[in-house]
């Protein structure tokens, strides 16, 4: 069985997702549009990643009669962006779950080794009781995402779901092999990594495109 057949791996091939992704890839897309699309894709991915949230029956009085309706059972969530680019996805998740807490993992890739260098960690209290959505638009070597998973597991978090927008085979394999419980969502698995660990065809440097830093 290929790793791509894993029930823990989800490629979101919805037409709206694929349409928005095509605009994201375009080098002529402005930072303003790029940011908006990253937020919209986070909403669509978050919707998929949270489709198993448990529901309970509640009694509701409509203007016409009492009825039984469904509400999410007090499930607590946290969204954990990998800075910087992951922050672009936070508001999309908060649109879906406004009460979610936000933790941060600050990391950048060393330009020579391509290994992640952590520089900041801040998690909400009792994060171990929450379902955590790690968000980062790019999954390249997998070094950054596996490090973020490691930090959350170290604090005792059990339910972790990772949301990326563009992935490549190397990164998907690294993450699924690193943690046997992880759920991984992405919008595409691109062809390959180059010698600088950039994804091809990809969309370039997500952080630079979100923040206009290049
Ligand atoms: C990018 C991206 C991921 C990481 C992916 O961040 O947002 O965090 O690279 O690469 P990996 O899978 O090989 O670890 P970058 O280090 O460029 O930092 P930035 O978000 O501050 O631009
Ligand atoms: N990080 C990015 O922003 N883009 C890539 O292609 C790889 C890592």
């Amino acid at each position: 069985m290929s790793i791509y057949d894993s029930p823990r791996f989800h490629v979101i091939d919805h037409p709206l997702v694929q349409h928005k992704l095509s605009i994201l890839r375009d080098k002529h897309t402005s930072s303003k549009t790029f940011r908006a699309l990253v937020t919209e894709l986070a909403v669509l991915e978050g919707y998929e990643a949270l489709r198993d949230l448990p529901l309970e029956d509640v009694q509701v009085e409509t203007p016409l009669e009492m009825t039984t309706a469904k509400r999410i059972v007090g499930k607590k969530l946290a969204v954990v962006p990998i800075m910087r680019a992951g922050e672009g996805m936070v508001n999309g998740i908060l649109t879906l779950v406004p009460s979610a807490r936000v933790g941060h993992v600050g990391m950048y890739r060393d330009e020579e080794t391509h290994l992640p260098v952590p520089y900041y960690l801040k998690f909400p209290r009792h994060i171990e009781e929450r379902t955590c959505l790690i968000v980062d638009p790019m999954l390249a070597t997998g070094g950054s995402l596996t490090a973020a998973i490691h930090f959350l597991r170290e604090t005792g978090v059990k339910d972790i779901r990772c949301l990326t927008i563009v992935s490549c085979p190397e990164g998907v394999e690294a993450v699924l092999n690193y943690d046997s419980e992880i759920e991984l969502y992405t919008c595409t698995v691109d062809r390959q990594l180059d010698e600088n660990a950039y994804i091809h065809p990809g969309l370039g440097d997500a952080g630079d495109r979100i923040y206009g830093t290049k």
Side-chain angles (χ1 to χ4, degrees):
M1 190 175 94
S2 144
I3 199 145
Y4 300 111
D5 299 325
S6 165
R8 299 184 288 118
F9 180 53
H10 315 268
V11 180
I12 304 176
D13 58 1
H14 192 287
L16 285 172
V17 168
Q18 295 307 314
H19 177 83
K20 290 175 195 299
L21 179 59
S22 79
I23 304 170
L24 211 57
R25 287 190 193 278
D26 188 336
K27 71 175 189 180
H28 300 294
T29 297
S30 67
S31 281
K32 182 177 173 219
T33 302
F34 194 95
R35 271 196 301 276
L37 287 166
V38 167
T39 298
E40 290 168 26
L41 285 166
V43 172
L44 295 167
E45 271 201 285
Y47 178 81
E48 277 300 318
L50 297 174
R51 64 162 56 247
D52 65 342
L53 288 181
L55 294 169
E56 65 184 354
D57 287 344
V58 291
Q59 295 302 304
V60 175
E61 188 175 5
T62 78
L64 303 177
E65 62 178 56
M66 289 299 292
T67 188
T68 304
K70 305 273 185 204
R71 290 224 176 120
I72 292 170
V73 186
K75 186 87 177 167
K76 294 176 176 171
L77 290 169
V79 51
V80 180
I82 300 178
M83 295 156 67
R84 299 174 291 171
E87 287 196 89
M89 297 175 72
V90 171
N91 282 341
I93 304 298
L94 292 178
T95 301
L96 295 171
V97 190
S99 61
R101 300 293 159 86
V102 183
H104 288 89
V105 177
M107 259 185 288
Y108 67 88
R109 292 197 316 176
D110 181 281
E111 285 185 9
E112 299 290 317
T113 64
H114 308 137
L115 292 173
V117 182
Y119 58 86
Y120 184 75
L121 269 189
K122 183 85 177 175
F123 295 145
R125 267 159 47 93
H126 303 304
I127 192 168
E128 70 281 0
E129 295 168 6
R130 296 177 179 270
T131 291
C132 290
L133 303 185
I134 304 178
V135 294
D136 190 331
M138 308 306 283
L139 172 56
T141 65
S144 304
L145 189 49
T146 54
I149 294 167
H150 168 77
F151 293 134
L152 286 179
R153 290 289 188 222
E154 254 190 341
T155 67
V157 178
K158 290 178 200 63
D159 186 355
I160 304 178
R161 304 159 190 213
C162 303
L163 279 60
T164 75
I165 293 176
V166 176
S167 301
C168 64
E170 295 87 337
V172 172
E173 287 191 25
V175 169
L176 293 179
N177 287 332
Y178 177 77
D179 188 305
S180 60
E181 310 256 299
I182 214 77
E183 298 280 337
L184 176 60
Y185 294 80
T186 192
C187 303
T188 179
V189 182
D190 277 9
R191 191 178 67 247
Q192 69 185 100
L193 281 182
D194 68 17
E195 62 282 7
N196 297 314
Y198 270 82
I199 300 171
H200 286 244
L203 48 72
D205 186 307
D208 282 342
R209 296 199 62 190
I210 289 171
Y211 299 111
T213 44
K214 203 120 190 174

